[in-house]
C-alpha cells in the first residue's frame, strides 16, 4: 500500500509530466507488467515527452502484457531503460497513435522494428520497403508487414528524425512497394493472365507526387498491352483481372483491417470507363475527350509498379498534352469551377474544420501551385515536378512567385499537412477534419511541439497559417504580373513580359497587351500612389478575373484611378477599408451601367466603403431623405435649368448607389455572401429606384414652378405614378409612367390654369431630357385618357367626367397601379378617391369585361412581341414573363378587390400574397408565379446593368450573356443552365396563367 504522502508526490509528478488522468496512470505504473522498470526516473520523463502520456503508458502496458511468456519481454524492458533512441521511438509512436498501439498489442514482436537504425535506414527507399514486405504472400500477411513498415515511418516522424516532406515521400515509397507486392500476389494467383499481358500501374495524386498521407486513397491508372503474339482483347481482359485483384488485395478488409483503398476513378471516363486501356486508347481519349481537370491530375502521374517501361511510355506520351492544357478554351474557368465545386460540396457544419478542402486549406496551396505550373510549365521545364513543395520552390526560383511568399506558403503547407498527419495517425483513419474535443486537440498540439497551452496554441497557429494560405492563394497568381511592369527591389527576379501576357490570357483577359499597359500605368514608378496600387492590384486582378469581363474591370479601374489617384482619401479608402476594394472591383467588372455612372462623378467611390453594418454607404436612402436633399439643392440654384441639373446629379449618384448595392449583394464578397432572398433584392431595387424617381420629379416640379410662376402656381398640380412607377417596381432603365392632374385655384380662369399646367409639364419633360452627363429621365403619359390623342393634363373634374362616361376596362386595369408621387398631396388624394370605384368595381367585373381583358391580353401577345424574339426568353411579353403574372394578379384585383382590402395595392408581389391569404390562390401556385416574376425582373435589371441600356430579353453577345449569368448567381460555363432554368420556371408560371387568367 502506497503512503499518502508518496501518493500525493507521484500524483503531482504525473500532472507535471502532462498526464491528464494521474490516478489511472499511477495504477498502471504500479502494475506487475512495469514492476521491473517503474522505479527508473527516465521512464516518466520519456512518457512526459510524448504527445499523449496517458495513451503512451497504456500502450506500453498492453505491449508488455502481450510479451507474457516470451523471451523478448526482458529484452524489451532492458532496452527501454538502456536505449534512449528506442525508448523515444516506441513511446513516441504509442503516444501519438492508438491504432499502432493496437497493432503492437496484436503483434508484440514488431517492436523490434524500432530497435536499431543504421544510417542507411534513416530514409529507406522503395527497395528497403520491398525487402520488408518480401515474405508477404497473402492479403493478411501483407497487411501485417505494411503496418510493421509504417511503425518505423511513424517513429521517425514523431521523433523529428524526418520532416514533413521526407515523411510524405517515405509513405509514398511504402505505397509503391505495397502495390508491387500486391501485384506479385495477384500474378502468382493467375500465372496464365500474367503471361498474356504487360501491365503498368501509374500512381496519381499524392502517391504520384511523392507526398502521401498516412491514410489516403492511392490513386492509380492502369495501362495494359499484349505481349508479343497475344491477342490484344484477351490480353486487356487478363490485365483487367490482375488489376482488379490488386485493388482487392489492398482495399479489402481482413482480420488485420485493410491497407488503403486503391482508387482508379481518375482514369478516362472515370468509374464508367474500362479499368485497363492500352496506351493508344489512353492517348486517343486525352486528345479528343479529356476535360481540363484530367490534365491537371496528370501533373502527378508516375509509374510505380508492373511494367515500368510501359509506365514511362505512358507518362512521356501524355506529357505534351499536359503542358499545353493551359491553351485550351475556358482553361482558367474550368479550373476555378472545379475548385468552387469542391468547396460547395463541403457540408456546412464541417467547412470551418475542413483542413484539406476548406478555404485556406491544403487544396488552396495545391490548386494555386498547379495552376501556375500549367501556365508557365509549357516553356519552363524546371516547373514540372509532381511534388507540391518542390514545384513551389521552382516557381520561386523562376520568379513566378515572390521568394518571401514562397517561404510563407511553404511553412503554412508544412504545418497544415503535419496537422493532417497527426490527425490521421491517431486512428489510422482517412479524415481531414480537425477534431472538436479538447483531448484530441491537446494531443495534436503536443505532437507538434506546442506544450505551454496546446489547445489554444494549436488553434492560433492553425488559423494563422490558414489566413496566410488564403491571402497568398489570392496573391500568387497576380503579383508577378505587376513585377513584370513595376520597379523591383534589387535582386528580385521579374516575370518576363511574355510570361505576364501568358498569365493574363490564362486568366481570361481578352486583350493582354492592353491589360499590361494598364498595369504599367497603374503600378510603375516610385510614387506613393504607385506603391499603394502595387499592393492593391494583386487582389483586384483576381476579382476582375472572377468576373465575365476582366478587361473592362481593369480598364475602368484605371479610369477611376486616373481621375482620383491624387485625391488623398481615395487610395486610403481602398487600402484601409476591407469592403471598399472588393466592392469597387465587383462594380467595375459587372457591366457598363454602374461604371458609366461612376465615371461621371468618380468621387461616388466613397459610397463603397465599410460604413455601418458592413454595407457601407450602399444602403438605399429613404424617399424623405432624397426629397429633402433634392429640394435643398433646387432651393440653392439660380434658375430652373441649374436646379434640375442639381436634381439630376443627385439622381445619378443615387442610381450608382442602388446599382452598386445590387451588384455587391448579387455577387457577394468575402465578408458578405450573396443575398439569398432574390425577391427581397428585387423589392429593394424597385422601391429605391421608384423613390428616387419620385423625389426627382418633386424637385423638378418645384424648380419649374419657382422659375416660371414664383412660389405659387395658378392651379393645384399633382403627379400620379402609373405602371411600374406606381407599383414601386421601376428598373434601372424604366421610363416614368405618369398622369398629370390639376385643379384651378379659387378665382383663376380655367384656361389660364390649363396653360400653366401644360407649361409645367412641358418644361419638366424638357429639363429632364436635356443631353448632359447625367442620365435622362423620360416621362411617359401615354396611359392618360384617350392615350396619345388626349390632353397631357386634365382637371380633376375632367377626369371624373371622362371616367364616368367613356372609361374602358383597360383603363380601370391601368388605374390599379395609380399612386400619388409628387405635387399637391390633397389633390392627389382626391384623385385616388375618384378612381377607386373604377379599379375596385362593386360586385367585381362582369363576364363581358373579363372576356375583354383576356382578348386584349391575347392580342398583345400576338402583336407586340418583337419579330424574331424567342417567346420563351422574352421577360416582358414572353410565356410566364412579367405581363403574364401581372395581368393574372390584376384580374384578381379587379374581380375581388371590392371585398378583399389586401388586394388594394399597387405592387404585384403584395397582390399575390394577398390573393393567397384570401384563398384565391393556392400557396404553391402563388410561389410559382412569384418566382417567375422575380426572375424576369432580375433578368431585366441584369441586362441594363451589363449593357447599359434596357432590354427585355437575354443578350446575344456571349460575354454579356455570361455577365448576366454571374449577376444571377451562375458561375462560368453555366449559361446554358441559366437559360434552361429560366425556361423551366416561366413554363410552370405560364401553365398557371393559362388556368387562372384564361380559364383553360
Amino acid at each position: 500500500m502506497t503512503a499518502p504522502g508518496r501518493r500525493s508526490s507521484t500524483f503531482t509528478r504525473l500532472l507535471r509530466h502532462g498526464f491528464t488522468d494521474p490516478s489511472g496512470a499511477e495504477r498502471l505504473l504500479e502494475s506487475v507488467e512495469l514492476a521491473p522498470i517503474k522505479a527508473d526516473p527516465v521512464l516518466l520523463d520519456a512518457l512526459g515527452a510524448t504527445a499523449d502520456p496517458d495513451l503512451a503508458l497504456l500502450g506500453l502496458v498492453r505491449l508488455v502484457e502481450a510479451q507474457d511468456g516470451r523471451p523478448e519481454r526482458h529484452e524489451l524492458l532492458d532496452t527501454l531503460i538502456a536505449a534512449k533512441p528506442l525508448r523515444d521511438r516506441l513511446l513516441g509512436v504509442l503516444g501519438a497513435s492508438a491504432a499502432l498501439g493496437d497493432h503492437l498489442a496484436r503483434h508484440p514482436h514488431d517492436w523490434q522494428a524500432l530497435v536499431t537504425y543504421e544510417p542507411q535506414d534513416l530514409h529507406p527507399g522503395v527497395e528497403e520497403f520491398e525487402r520488408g514486405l518480401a515474405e508477404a504472400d497473402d492479403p493478411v500477411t501483407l497487411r501485417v508487414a505494411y503496418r510493421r513498415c509504417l511503425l518505423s515511418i511513424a517513429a521517425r516522424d514523431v521523433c523529428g528524425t524526418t520532416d514533413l516532406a521526407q515523411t510524405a515521400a517515405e509513405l509514398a515509397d511504402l505505397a509503391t512497394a505495397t502495390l508491387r507486392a500486391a501485384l506479385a500476389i495477384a500474378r502468382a494467383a493467375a500465372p496464365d493472365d500474367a503471361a498474356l499481358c504487360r501491365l503498368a500501374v501509374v500512381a496519381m495524386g499524392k502517391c504520384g507526387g511523392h507526398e502521401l498521407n498516412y491514410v489516403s486513397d492511392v490513386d492509380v491508372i492502369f495501362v495494359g498491352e499484349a505481349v508479343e503474339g497475344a491477342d490484344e482483347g484477351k490480353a486487356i481482359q487478363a490485365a483487367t483481372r490482375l488489376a482488379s485483384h490488386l485493388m482487392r488485395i489492398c482495399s479489402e478488409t481482413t482480420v488485420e483491417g485493410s491497407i488503403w483503398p486503391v482508387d482508379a476513378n481518375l482514369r478516362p471516363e472515370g468509374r464508367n470507363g474500362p479499368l485497363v486501356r492500352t496506351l493508344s486508347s489512353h492517348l486517343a481519349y486525352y486528345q479528343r475527350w479529356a476535360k481540363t481537370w484530367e490534365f491537371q491530375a496528370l501533373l502527378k502521374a508516375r509509374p510505380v509498379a508492373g511494367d515500368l517501361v510501359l509506365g514511362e511510355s505512358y507518362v512521356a506520351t501524355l506529357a505534351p498534352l499536359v503542358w499545353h492544357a493551359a491553351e485550351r478554351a475556358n482553361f482558367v474557368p474550368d479550373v476555378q469551377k472545379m475548385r468552387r465545386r469542391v468547396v460547395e460540396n463541403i457540408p456546412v457544419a464541417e467547412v470551418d474544420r475542413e483542413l484539406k478542402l476548406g478555404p485556406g486549406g491544403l487544396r488552396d496551396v495545391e490548386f494555386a501551385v498547379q495552376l501556375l505550373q500549367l501556365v508557365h510549365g509549357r516553356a519552363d521545364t524546371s516547373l514540372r515536378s509532381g511534388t507540391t513543395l518542390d514545384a513551389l520552390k521552382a516557381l520561386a526560383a523562376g520568379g513566378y512567385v515572390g521568394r518571401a511568399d514562397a517561404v510563407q506558403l511553404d511553412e503554412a503547407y508544412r504545418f497544415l499537412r503535419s496537422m493532417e498527419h497527426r490527425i490521421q495517425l491517431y486512428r489510422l483513419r482517412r479524415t481531414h477534419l480537425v477534431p472538436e474535443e479538447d483531448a484530441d486537440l491537446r494531443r495534436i498540439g503536443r505532437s507538434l511541439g506546442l506544450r505551454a497551452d496546446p489547445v489554444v496554441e494549436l488553434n492560433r497557429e492553425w488559423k494563422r497559417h490558414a489566413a496566410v494560405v488564403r491571402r497568398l492563394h489570392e496573391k500568387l497568381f497576380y503579383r508577378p504580373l505587376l513585377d513584370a511592369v513595376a520597379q523591383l527591389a534589387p535582386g528580385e527576379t521579374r516575370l518576363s513580359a511574355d510570361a505576364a501576357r501568358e498569365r493574363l490570357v490564362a486568366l481570361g483577359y481578352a486583350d493582354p497587351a492592353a491589360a499590361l499597359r494598364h498595369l504599367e500605368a497603374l503600378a510603375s514608378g516610385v510614387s506613393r500612389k504607385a506603391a499603394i496600387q502595387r499592393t492593391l492590384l494583386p487582389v483586384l486582378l483576381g476579382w476582375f478575373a472572377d468576373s465575365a469581363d476582366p478587361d473592362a474591370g481593369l480598364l475602368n479601374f484605371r479610369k477611376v484611378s486616373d481621375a482620383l489617384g491624387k485625391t488623398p482619401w481615395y487610395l486610403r479608402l481602398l487600402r484601409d477599408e476591407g469592403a471598399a476594394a472588393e466592392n469597387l472591383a465587383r462594380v467595375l467588372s459587372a457591366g457598363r451601367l454602374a461604371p458609366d455612372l461612376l465615371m461621371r462623378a468618380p468621387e461616388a467611390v466613397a459610397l463603397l466603403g465599410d460604413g455601418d453594418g458592413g454595407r457601407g454607404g450602399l444602403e438605399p436612402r429613404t424617399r424623405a431623405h432624397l426629397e429633402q436633399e433634392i429640394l435643398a439643392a433646387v432651393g440653392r440654384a439660380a434658375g430652373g435649368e441649374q436646379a434640375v441639373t442639381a436634381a439630376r446629379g443627385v439622381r445619378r449618384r443615387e442610381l450608382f448607389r442602388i446599382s452598386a448595392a445590387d451588384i455587391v449583394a448579387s455577387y457577394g464578397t468575402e465578408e458578405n455572401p450573396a443575398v439569398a432572398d432574390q425577391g427581397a433584392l428585387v423589392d429593394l431595387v424597385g422601391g429605391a429606384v421608384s423613390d428616387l424617381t419620385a423625389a426627382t420629379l418633386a424637385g423638378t416640379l418645384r424648380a419649374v414652378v419657382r422659375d416660371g410662376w414664383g412660389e405659387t402656381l395658378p392651379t393645384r398640380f399633382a403627379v400620379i405614378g402609373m405602371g411600374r412607377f406606381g407599383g414601386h417596381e421601376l428598373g434601372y432603365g424604366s421610363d416614368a409612367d405618369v398622369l398629370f392632374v390639376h385643379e384651378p385655384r379659387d378665382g383663376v380662369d380655367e384656361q389660364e390654369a390649363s396653360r400653366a399646367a401644360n407649361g409645367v409639364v412641358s418644361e419638366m419633360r424638357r429639363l429632364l431630357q436635356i443631353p448632359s452627363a447625367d442620365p435622362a429621365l423620360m416621362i411617359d403619359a401615354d396611359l392618360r385618357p384617350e392615350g396619345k390623342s388626349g390632353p397631357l393634363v386634365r382637371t380633376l373634374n375632367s377626369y371624373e367626367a371622362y371616367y364616368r362616361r367613356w372609361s374602358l376596362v383597360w383603363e380601370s386595369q391601368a388605374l390599379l397601379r395609380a399612386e400619388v408621387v409628387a405635387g399637391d398631396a390633397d389633390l392627389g388624394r382626391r384623385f385616388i378617391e375618384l378612381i377607386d370605384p373604377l379599379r375596385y368595381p362593386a360586385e367585381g367585373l362582369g363576364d363581358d369585361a373579363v372576356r375583354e381583358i383576356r382578348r386584349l391580353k391575347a392580342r398583345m401577345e400576338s402583336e407586340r412581341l418583337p419579330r424574331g424574339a424567342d417567346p420563351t426568353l422574352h421577360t416582358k411579353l414572353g410565356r410566364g414573363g412579367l405581363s403574364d403574372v401581372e395581368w393574372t394578379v390584376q384580374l384578381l384585383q379587379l374581380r375581388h378587390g371590392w371585398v378583399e382590402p389586401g388586394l388594394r395595392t399597387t405592387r404585384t408581389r403584395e397582390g399575390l400574397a394577398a390573393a393567397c391569404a384570401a384563398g384565391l390562390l393556392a400557396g404553391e401556385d402563388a410561389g410559382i408565379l412569384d418566382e417567375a416574376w422575380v426572375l424576369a425582373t432580375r433578368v431585366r435589371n441584369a441586362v441594363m446593368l451589363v449593357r447599359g441600356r434596357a432590354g427585355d430579353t437575354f443578350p446575344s453577345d456571349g460575354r454579356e450573356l455570361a455577365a448576366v449569368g454571374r449577376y444571377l448567381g451562375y458561375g462560368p460555363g453555366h449559361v446554358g443552365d441559366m437559360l434552361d432554368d429560366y425556361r423551366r420556371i416561366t413554363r410552370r408560371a405560364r401553365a398557371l396563367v393559362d388556368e387562372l387568367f384564361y380559364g383553360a
Side-chain angles (χ1 to χ4, degrees), residues 482 485 509 511-524 533 537 541 550-559 562:
L482 304 183
V485 297
Y509 286 83
D511 189 351
L516 278 176
R517 288 196 300 273
H518 299 326
L519 290 177
E520 186 168 10
L522 288 163
S524 293
Q533 292 194 138
L537 275 166
L541 282 169
D551 299 82
L554 181 55
L555 172 61
N556 289 332
F557 179 69
R558 180 181 175 183
K559 289 179 179 177
D562 286 347

Side-chain angles (χ1 to χ4, degrees), residues 257-273:
S258 65
I259 300 176
W260 19 247
V262 175
D263 188 343
N265 288 337
L266 291 178
R267 65 185 186 270
E269 300 178 77
R271 65 183 63 197
N272 297 319

Side-chain angles (χ1 to χ4, degrees), residues 531-740:
I532 295 176
Q533 292 194 138
R534 283 196 294 271
T535 302
L536 292 169
L537 275 166
V539 178
L540 288 171
L541 282 169
W543 286 324
F544 294 150
D546 191 40
S547 73
D549 195 349
D551 299 82
L554 181 55
L555 172 61
N556 289 332
F557 179 69
R558 180 181 175 183
K559 289 179 179 177
V560 173
S561 293
D562 286 347
L564 292 176
K566 294 182 180 179
T567 306
W569 58 263
Y570 166 64
L571 290 174
R572 186 170 61 246
L573 170 79
L574 298 186
R575 183 193 63 196
D576 298 341
E577 294 199 21
E582 185 171 2
N583 289 345
L584 180 62
R586 298 299 183 204
V587 167
L588 293 180
S589 56
R592 297 180 184 174
L593 178 65
D596 285 350
L597 293 169
L598 181 60
M599 297 311 167
R600 292 166 183 170
E603 65 276 3
V605 77
L607 300 176
L608 301 171
D610 289 337
D612 297 327
R615 293 194 61 183
L618 297 183
E619 193 72 39
R621 302 176 68 196
T622 65
R623 179 170 168 180
H625 281 104
L626 292 169
E627 280 199 18
Q628 183 180 18
E629 180 181 4
I630 288 175
L631 291 176
V634 166
R636 292 191 296 270
E641 286 198 13
Q642 185 180 349
V644 175
T645 296
R648 289 176 65 180
V650 173
R651 178 171 178 266
R652 182 240 320 121
R653 185 200 66 209
E654 293 305 315
L655 279 175
F656 172 74
R657 188 198 304 269
I658 298 164
S659 60
D662 189 8
I663 291 167
V664 170
S666 297
Y667 279 75
T669 63
E670 184 176 318
E671 290 81 9
N672 299 298
V675 173
D677 187 348
Q678 304 304 320
L681 195 53
V682 163
D683 290 345
L684 182 144
V685 171
V689 176
S690 300
D691 285 345
L692 176 59
T693 302
T696 304
L697 289 178
T700 303
L701 176 60
R702 174 74 62 86
V704 169
V705 170
R706 188 191 66 180
D707 202 42
W709 290 271
E711 292 301 320
T712 305
L713 193 66
T715 185
R716 294 180 179 87
F717 187 89
V719 184
I720 311 298
M722 300 289 285
R724 297 191 186 285
F725 186 15
H728 294 253
E729 297 162 357
L730 284 180
Y732 299 111
S734 299
D735 296 343
D737 289 315
V738 297
L739 297 179
F740 297 109

